[in-house]
Amino acid sequence: MSKLLKSYDRSRIPLYIQVASVMRQRIQSGQWAPGQRISTLEELEREFQVARVTVRQAIGVLQDDGLLHAQQGRGTYVSDLTPSRHWFKLETTWDELIESIRDNVPQHISLEENVAAPALQANDGKAADAYVLLRSVQYRDNEPYSLVNLHLARYIFDLNPKLFMRAPALSTIAGLSQVKVAYAHQTLVIGSADPETADRMMVAIGAPTAECHCVVIDDTGTAIYVADIIYRSDCIKLQIDLLGNAPTPAARMAPTEKAPKRPKAKQA
């Protein structure tokens, strides 16, 4: 058995999804450029060591995603305008995070009241007396990019229920003078789409996802916001300022000042 076939066997993801993932990476990295004709079915069949029906299924996935299109009698081509890649930056500071989501319009799936408290870890604070569960999908250009399951402390939700139902919860919390945020953190892990996530996010079952766990704790030590957010992996990126001294956006846009001219050295 070849190394490639052994790699297929190590994964529980359907074979055509694995092939589609490799082909998607070639498009997104520019290895297959916009407008370029990709390898033939026969070539892909030999390269990936799979049946032709598997190659056709993989191409079908990428056609549904708008990355490939077929031309009758000519072959399959990379789309001229492929969807933007990694456009959503997961912010790493409170102020930047609030600003990045301020204009989002969540499409609410459901509101559940008097639900059980979320599972809290050692640094997640203490549980509130009661929670509501808000489930929503975030959209960009009419395409879903994240699925949110949010446990919100009941007494926080009751401060402005209507606003929490139509605006991002984090920006709403940031605007409430009655709430004093003492600590907030988020963790990110790589996952894969289960059937419900795949349906909501319009991706294939088993497609890679970025899963964020975000917790906000108030000045009483209570976890008032506990959210599990699933992002499509093809839209999200994480950039960390390791030294904490990156210039502000305004500074980055400012014209560079010219260095003063040094006086010419006198000849001996």
Side-chain angles (χ1 to χ4, degrees):
M1 182 182 291
S2 70
K3 291 183 179 180
L4 182 58
L5 294 179
K6 290 180 180 178
S7 297
Y8 291 148
D9 286 344
R10 284 195 296 267
S11 175
R12 295 183 180 181
I13 298 175
L15 195 53
Y16 76 95
I17 296 295
Q18 297 183 59
V19 174
S21 296
V22 176
M23 296 170 66
R24 178 183 286 106
Q25 177 61 29
R26 291 181 181 179
I27 296 171
Q28 293 177 336
S29 67
Q31 182 178 345
W32 287 350
Q36 176 183 340
R37 184 170 72 88
I38 70 169
S39 306
T40 65
L41 291 175
E42 292 82 359
E43 292 169 338
L44 293 172
E45 183 180 351
R46 287 195 300 269
E47 177 186 358
F48 290 106
Q49 301 177 34
V50 295
R52 184 165 304 185
V53 65
T54 301
V55 174
R56 290 185 184 277
Q57 288 176 309
I59 290 175
V61 169
L62 300 181
Q63 287 177 322
D64 291 342
D65 289 346
L67 297 175
L68 294 176
H69 68 276
Q71 295 185 14
Q72 186 68 33
R74 298 186 60 190
T76 303
Y77 291 77
V78 179
S79 299
D80 291 328
L81 296 176
T82 58
S84 56
R85 181 181 183 226
H86 298 159
W87 56 268
F88 183 83
K89 179 183 176 184
L90 186 63
E91 302 293 353
T92 55
T93 69
W94 174 259
D95 290 338
E96 290 176 343
L97 177 58
I98 296 303
E99 185 60 31
S100 70
I101 65 172
R102 191 177 301 279
D103 296 328
N104 286 11
V105 180
Q107 302 290 325
H108 282 283
I109 302 173
S110 65
L111 164 65
E112 298 179 36
E113 302 187 56
N114 301 317
V115 296
L120 298 176
Q121 299 179 1
N123 61 342
D124 286 349
K126 61 184 180 182
D129 292 335
Y131 286 93
V132 298
L133 177 62
L134 294 170
R135 307 185 69 213
S136 63
V137 179
Q138 304 286 336
Y139 283 80
R140 179 180 187 255
D141 297 333
N142 295 319
E143 291 287 336
Y145 70 88
S146 71
L147 179 64
V148 183
N149 290 287
L150 165 62
H151 282 83
L152 186 64
R154 179 79 211 204
Y155 70 92
I156 298 294
F157 178 76
D158 288 342
L159 292 174
N160 198 330
K162 291 183 179 180
L163 187 57
F164 277 114
M165 290 299 294
R166 70 170 186 266
L170 277 181
S171 59
T172 301
I173 290 173
L176 294 173
S177 59
Q178 309 97 312
V179 180
K180 304 299 181 184
V181 174
Y183 180 63
H185 66 87
Q186 58 184 352
T187 57
L188 187 70
V189 298
I190 304 304
S192 59
D194 60 22
E196 180 185 2
T197 299
D199 179 56
R200 298 291 186 185
M201 302 282 284
M202 297 173 61
V203 296
I205 295 175
T209 58
E211 301 178 5
C212 180
H213 181 68
C214 184
V215 180
V216 177
I217 301 168
D218 70 5
D219 57 350
T220 69
T222 301
I224 60 174
Y225 174 105
V226 183
D228 290 298
I229 308 170
I230 302 175
Y231 296 97
R232 292 175 55 139
S233 66
D234 57 357
C235 75
I236 191 172
K237 62 181 177 181
L238 177 63
Q239 180 176 325
I240 301 175
D241 175 18
L242 296 177
L243 296 180
N245 58 0
T248 63
R252 288 196 295 267
M253 294 173 64
T256 304
E257 294 183 358
K258 294 183 178 180
K261 293 183 178 180
R262 296 181 178 179
K264 293 182 179 179
K266 293 182 179 180
Q267 294 182 352

